[in-house]
Amino acid sequence: MELTVGQFASAVDTTIRTLRYYEKIGLLVPGKKNDANQKIYARDDLKKFYNIQLLKTMGWPLIEIKQMLEETAYSFGEMVEMQEAVLRDKRNRINESLEMIARIKNVMNETGNLNNKELMLLMNAIRLEEDQRMILQQYFPATTVDKIMPKNKQQQPAFDLLNRRLLSFFQTSIDIGLRPESQEVQHELQEVLDLVPLSVNELFQSERSLDKQSEILRALLPDDMAEFFGEAIHAFYNNQFEGRGE
């Protein structure tokens, strides 16, 4: 079998442009020429083309396909196993992204559209939840972490709305120049904590310093918000405990 680039493109239902690109990157290079000095594709090129298409359907990028086909003893069986793992990981990440989008849309349905800053804050908060849980578990018992950041899907909508409220309020407070110890900020913090199924004593255990609380916030929030939130919590702690002599 000897086919010119146009004939080969028709035979395998692709475009001349695609074949030219494959040749340019060294993926499929015709090794012969006919009497008219035209590059021609042989039977081995046909087999290689279909192998390339097979690997493409499995999600391999062209540069990796080229490397694999250049190996003298590549195994399709091993490739299948490897790519299955890659695709499962991609599917998991897609599912996580779709879940995040669903949660964001639920918040927007409940509260109206978010501005860009609010949207990014909330998306990052959801995206980093597992990292946040790991950090919190260094300082709180697992039962307390579950109250702060519930994994139960039935509890998540309420948590997301609370999270949105808190993030938006503190960002607005920073933007308009409120002080962390101001009455408005302290009142909002008290209202939010009243909605969390967690006692103040659990949140501020005597053996846990507020410096550690601030360390958690710095890991979870933008720097300006973490600093503001940390100062607000210090003020809240002083009002709740030092005022009572505890």
Side-chain angles (χ1 to χ4, degrees):
M1 182 192 81
E2 294 185 351
L3 300 174
T4 64
V5 62
Q7 293 169 334
F8 189 83
S10 297
V12 298
D13 194 24
T14 190
T15 64
I16 294 176
R17 183 178 179 181
T18 296
L19 294 176
R20 295 296 191 204
Y21 180 69
Y22 284 2
E23 181 181 357
K24 179 180 178 180
I25 65 174
L27 180 58
L28 182 62
V29 180
K32 296 181 180 180
K33 291 185 178 181
N34 60 17
D35 294 338
N37 202 35
Q38 295 174 305
K39 294 178 180 179
I40 58 174
Y41 292 82
R43 188 173 299 279
D44 287 344
D45 295 319
L46 181 64
K47 293 178 181 178
K48 189 173 184 180
F49 177 84
Y50 284 125
N51 284 345
I52 292 168
Q53 298 308 106
L54 174 62
L55 294 171
K56 279 182 63 180
T57 63
M58 293 167 56
W60 290 102
L62 292 178
I63 188 64
E64 293 186 25
I65 293 174
K66 179 177 182 293
Q67 292 170 354
M68 288 185 290
L69 295 182
E70 286 174 349
E71 295 179 7
T72 56
Y74 64 88
S75 165
F76 273 113
E78 292 177 0
M79 292 179 192
V80 168
E81 293 293 334
M82 291 170 56
Q83 194 61 3
E84 180 184 19
V86 170
L87 293 174
R88 286 185 183 277
D89 180 65
K90 286 184 179 179
R91 182 176 65 184
N92 289 339
R93 284 187 278 118
I94 290 172
N95 288 340
E96 289 171 1
S97 297
L98 289 173
E99 182 180 342
M100 178 181 69
I101 290 170
R103 290 171 63 178
I104 292 291
K105 290 177 70 174
N106 179 71
V107 171
M108 294 173 69
N109 288 337
E110 291 290 332
T111 65
N113 287 335
L114 308 175
N115 63 42
N116 288 343
K117 185 176 289 186
E118 291 171 337
L119 182 60
M120 292 304 297
L121 283 172
L122 187 56
M123 287 177 67
N124 275 325
I126 294 174
R127 183 176 63 86
L128 298 174
E129 275 182 353
E130 285 307 311
D131 293 335
Q132 294 172 15
R133 289 180 65 86
M134 290 177 63
I135 294 170
L136 291 171
Q137 285 169 358
Q138 298 177 40
Y139 306 105
F140 295 98
T143 52
T144 300
V145 175
D146 288 339
K147 292 179 182 178
I148 299 173
M149 300 184 66
K151 276 194 167 184
N152 187 314
K153 291 188 182 298
Q154 293 180 334
Q155 295 175 309
Q156 278 182 343
F159 169 75
D160 289 339
L161 289 171
L162 194 61
N163 203 12
R164 190 266 189 196
R165 171 180 171 177
L166 193 61
L167 291 171
S168 297
F169 177 80
F170 277 97
Q171 186 59 62
T172 300
S173 299
I174 293 170
D175 291 342
I176 66 176
L178 287 178
R179 297 293 303 162
E181 66 276 10
S182 68
Q183 183 177 354
E184 297 95 328
V185 172
Q186 292 298 305
H187 178 73
E188 178 68 11
L189 188 55
Q190 179 66 69
E191 284 198 353
V192 169
L193 289 175
D194 287 343
L195 295 173
V196 177
L198 184 74
S199 71
V200 173
N201 286 330
E202 283 182 274
L203 187 60
F204 301 107
Q205 293 183 30
S206 59
E207 69 271 15
R208 185 174 296 105
S209 70
L210 287 180
D211 288 338
K212 287 185 178 180
Q213 301 281 346
S214 298
E215 180 182 337
I216 296 171
L217 294 173
R218 284 193 295 272
L220 305 184
L221 298 173
D223 290 342
D224 60 342
M225 190 176 292
E227 182 178 355
F228 187 93
F229 205 173
E231 291 178 11
I233 288 179
H234 271 273
F236 182 84
Y237 179 87
N238 291 336
N239 292 337
Q240 291 289 317
F241 292 94
E242 292 184 4
R244 298 185 311 194
E246 296 186 19

